[in-house]
Amino acid sequence: MSSGDRSQAVDGKRSYEVRTYGCQMNVHDSERLSGLLEGAGYVRAPEDADGDADVVVFNTCAVRENADNKLYGNLGRLAPMKTKRPGMQIAVGGCLAQKDRDTIVRRAPWVDVVFGTHNIGKLPVLLERARVQEEAQVEIAESLEAFPSTLPTRRESAYAAWVSISVGCNNTCTFCIVPALRGKEKDRRPGDILAEIEALVAEGVSEITLLGQNVNAYGSDIGDREAFSKLLRACGTIEGLERVRFTSPHPRDFTDDVIAAMAETPNVMPQLHMPLQSGSDTILKAMRRSYRQDRYLGIIDKVRAAIPHAAISTDIIVGFPGETEEDFEQTMRVVRKARFAQAFTFQYSKRPGTPAAEMDGQIPKKVVQERYMRLSALQEEISWDENKSQVGRTLEVMVAEGEGRKDGATHRLSGRAPDNRLVHFTKPDDAVRPGDVVTVEITYAAPHHLLAEGPTRAVRRTRAGDAWDKRNATGATKPAGVLLGLPTVGVPAPLPAVTGGCGAQ
């Protein structure tokens, strides 16, 4: 199909494609970018467009290693396509755009629009201005112009949704550049958050994830230290809201009132992603992490006492500057004691603009790799043991879309348990849709997933499943899959060396 044919395939309107990199905040922003473009009259390009659209938007990340090289490589591949397609536009936004600004247009002069993290609402205007003036538009706001959740949205899921409660971060971790790109923390009003959640539930959403760069610091901007626990409890009063999750908290701000709210609010799920980063007090100090090993393990103990079946996950950086073998052994000690259900383990690498990049004691790559492999092996063993403890349990699993890559061949479906473990289960006789809930008995455990091989105990059709039916019955383009950056069960497959995602506090 030619480029011109593709244009006709989407009702003669200009088509768009959004490519997302990075953390959950970027995914949430991309949903807003899609909503803005559709509100301006664009239509989503076919799932297999692969850049063959009238407008291609890159929503970038500045944290992942070689993020700039990957961006310019992708931009380079689009250059000849743009030459052949008159009127095609390319836009670059997100954290890398906020950081590099004019550099992007200098290195890729065929880019039409560059916008930052604070002014995503300007994208349609900037595209039109670039078209009329026939020159690149670079507009980077230094402070937030409009809270992302006030903008139109095109959600990727009919049954689950992100809800941003704050943007920015007040921490000064030496390995992280995010505060410089996202700015100081700014909180939404609780009433606005709850109104958005209620509107989502009215549309059929049954699971929401509260988002923030430092989600449990919510309230610092509005002067209420218990605002986050109050928000969790308020979510418990919303009829039809079945599951509430949040990411990512910071140990410094994880207080007893939050633990109590999690334990006492039935629709707050027994799941906690609590970034550790290092088990060494010396390294935590060098990272400017305002907690120490004992404080971290104390939080884990309190959570387990209040919520015995909670699945706890974490982020860990291996090979931070100055890390000795003893420092690394302290991290291994915490992993053994905490017994995480899952972990994201990262090999430290320099990030320009961060204090850690200029520190003495940079660790040789070979040493970092060897430690990383030891940590991964330990966590793999623990994840498998923790998953084995689930065998024999009866769980309610929310059916998911796109979670089981082998489901077609195995005649299974997949979904998430309340604690967010991935469960593959035998396809029941009754028809089920994403968003519906099935009751199954776990019969087998692997490090990265659980399996329910017996017959399904029960199927509960839900309003969320109805919403999925409605979306797919309208003939709308099926949303493309998005790598959310959420922790997966067990140790993930080896990744390129990174410093931890934007949301990894």
Side-chain angles (χ1 to χ4, degrees):
M1 181 182 290
S2 69
S3 297
D5 290 337
R6 282 194 184 275
S7 294
Q8 296 302 315
V10 285
D11 303 324
K13 297 181 179 179
R14 285 172 61 77
S15 60
Y16 77 89
E17 177 187 351
V18 178
R19 299 187 184 183
T20 308
Y21 305 92
C23 68
Q24 300 95 321
M25 298 295 287
N26 278 29
V27 175
H28 185 56
D29 285 349
S30 287
E31 291 184 335
R32 303 297 171 181
L33 291 170
S34 295
L36 285 161
L37 290 170
E38 293 189 8
Y42 295 84
V43 295
R44 191 166 186 151
E47 191 172 344
D48 61 349
D50 192 25
D52 197 1
D54 295 301
V55 172
V56 179
V57 182
F58 291 89
N59 189 10
T60 64
C61 171
V63 175
R64 300 289 176 181
E65 186 178 31
N66 297 322
D68 53 348
N69 291 334
K70 292 176 183 177
L71 170 66
Y72 295 120
N74 285 321
L75 291 176
R77 283 189 286 274
L78 288 185
M81 191 177 296
K82 187 177 180 184
T83 300
K84 297 176 183 178
R85 183 171 189 152
M88 180 181 179
Q89 292 182 296
I90 300 172
V92 180
C95 290
L96 192 64
Q98 187 80 20
K99 173 177 170 285
D100 286 355
R101 308 185 181 215
D102 296 328
T103 304
I104 293 172
V105 175
R106 187 171 69 249
R107 292 186 59 178
W110 54 92
V111 169
D112 299 274
V113 171
V114 179
F115 63 101
T117 59
H118 298 310
N119 62 332
I120 65 174
K122 289 286 188 67
L123 177 60
V125 172
L126 293 172
L127 287 169
E128 181 64 13
R129 192 186 301 165
R131 186 186 66 81
V132 172
Q133 298 182 6
E134 296 184 343
E135 64 180 12
Q137 301 295 309
V138 179
E139 188 169 308
I140 306 292
E142 297 302 330
S143 59
L144 192 67
E145 293 185 349
F147 207 97
S149 291
T150 66
L151 302 172
T153 185
R154 186 191 194 281
R155 290 186 291 106
E156 295 296 327
S157 169
Y159 53 90
W162 310 102
V163 176
S164 185
I165 69 172
S166 65
V167 294
C169 181
N170 293 337
N171 293 315
T172 58
C173 301
T174 54
F175 56 80
C176 185
I177 198 172
V178 170
L181 304 179
R182 292 275 182 177
K184 292 293 186 181
E185 182 178 324
K186 184 174 179 59
D187 296 336
R188 292 178 71 191
R189 292 171 57 87
D192 293 340
I193 297 169
L194 294 172
E196 181 183 353
I197 296 173
E198 289 171 349
L200 289 168
V201 172
E203 294 175 5
V205 168
S206 60
E207 176 177 314
I208 61 104
T209 300
L210 304 175
L211 285 182
Q213 302 293 157
N214 183 8
V215 69
N216 61 320
Y218 177 74
S220 62
D221 183 47
I222 58 179
D224 184 352
R225 292 180 59 84
E226 295 188 351
F228 186 62
S229 62
K230 292 175 182 176
L231 181 61
L232 291 178
R233 292 183 185 278
C235 287
T237 67
I238 298 177
E239 186 176 354
L241 179 59
E242 297 195 17
R243 295 186 173 190
V244 178
R245 306 185 191 276
F246 58 88
T247 193
S248 287
H250 193 296
R252 181 194 66 186
D253 303 299
F254 208 83
T255 49
D256 291 350
D257 61 298
V258 173
I259 297 173
M262 292 177 64
E264 296 166 10
T265 309
N267 63 356
V268 176
M269 294 294 96
Q271 172 208 356
L272 176 63
H273 183 69
M274 179 73 79
L276 168 66
Q277 308 302 9
S278 175
S280 163
D281 288 353
T282 301
I283 297 301
L284 288 171
K285 183 177 180 180
M287 290 178 168
R288 292 186 194 156
R289 303 287 288 179
S290 51
Y291 57 89
R292 299 296 179 259
Q293 181 184 126
D294 287 348
R295 159 74 172 153
Y296 186 94
L297 289 172
I299 293 172
I300 301 300
D301 289 343
K302 288 181 179 180
V303 170
R304 290 230 163 90
I307 315 168
H309 289 300
I312 300 173
S313 56
T314 196
D315 295 325
I316 300 172
I317 298 172
V318 178
F320 188 81
E323 181 187 76
T324 65
E325 181 62 24
E326 173 57 28
D327 292 324
F328 176 70
E329 283 299 330
Q330 288 299 307
T331 296
M332 297 282 275
R333 174 180 182 272
V334 174
V335 169
R336 292 187 185 97
K337 289 181 69 66
R339 298 196 63 79
F340 299 113
Q342 50 201 29
F344 274 176
T345 52
F346 304 105
Q347 297 180 46
Y348 174 80
S349 60
K350 290 184 178 181
R351 289 296 175 271
T354 62
E358 306 302 323
M359 287 182 176
D360 295 332
Q362 301 287 329
I363 310 298
K365 178 68 175 178
K366 183 178 180 180
V367 175
V368 176
Q369 177 69 19
E370 189 273 336
R371 290 175 183 171
Y372 172 84
M373 296 304 294
R374 283 158 56 195
L375 176 60
S376 295
L378 173 62
Q379 182 56 51
E380 183 92 352
E381 178 184 339
I382 292 172
S383 293
W384 199 354
D385 284 345
E386 290 300 303
N387 275 0
K388 287 176 183 176
S389 71
Q390 302 296 305
V391 174
R393 292 190 65 195
T394 299
L395 301 175
E396 282 198 335
V397 176
M398 182 176 288
V399 183
E401 185 175 23
E403 292 272 23
R405 289 174 294 178
K406 299 180 180 178
D407 282 352
T410 58
H411 303 289
R412 296 178 182 137
L413 296 176
S414 299
R416 293 284 172 175
D419 64 8
N420 208 39
R421 283 182 165 94
L422 178 62
V423 180
H424 304 301
F425 58 94
T426 302
K427 190 173 183 179
D429 294 333
D430 297 334
V432 294
R433 297 106 14 122
D436 287 340
V437 176
V438 299
T439 304
V440 298
E441 181 180 342
I442 304 303
T443 57
Y444 176 80
H448 301 262
H449 67 267
L450 303 174
L451 187 61
E453 299 169 293
T456 301
R457 299 284 185 88
V459 174
R460 177 164 60 86
R461 293 173 70 85
T462 65
R463 291 173 61 252
D466 294 342
W468 185 89
D469 266 346
K470 182 178 179 180
R471 171 180 285 201
N472 285 269
T474 60
T477 303
K478 183 179 179 182
V482 177
L483 180 61
L484 299 182
L486 286 170
T488 53
V489 176
V491 180
L495 298 170
V498 295
T499 62
C502 306
Q505 295 299 333

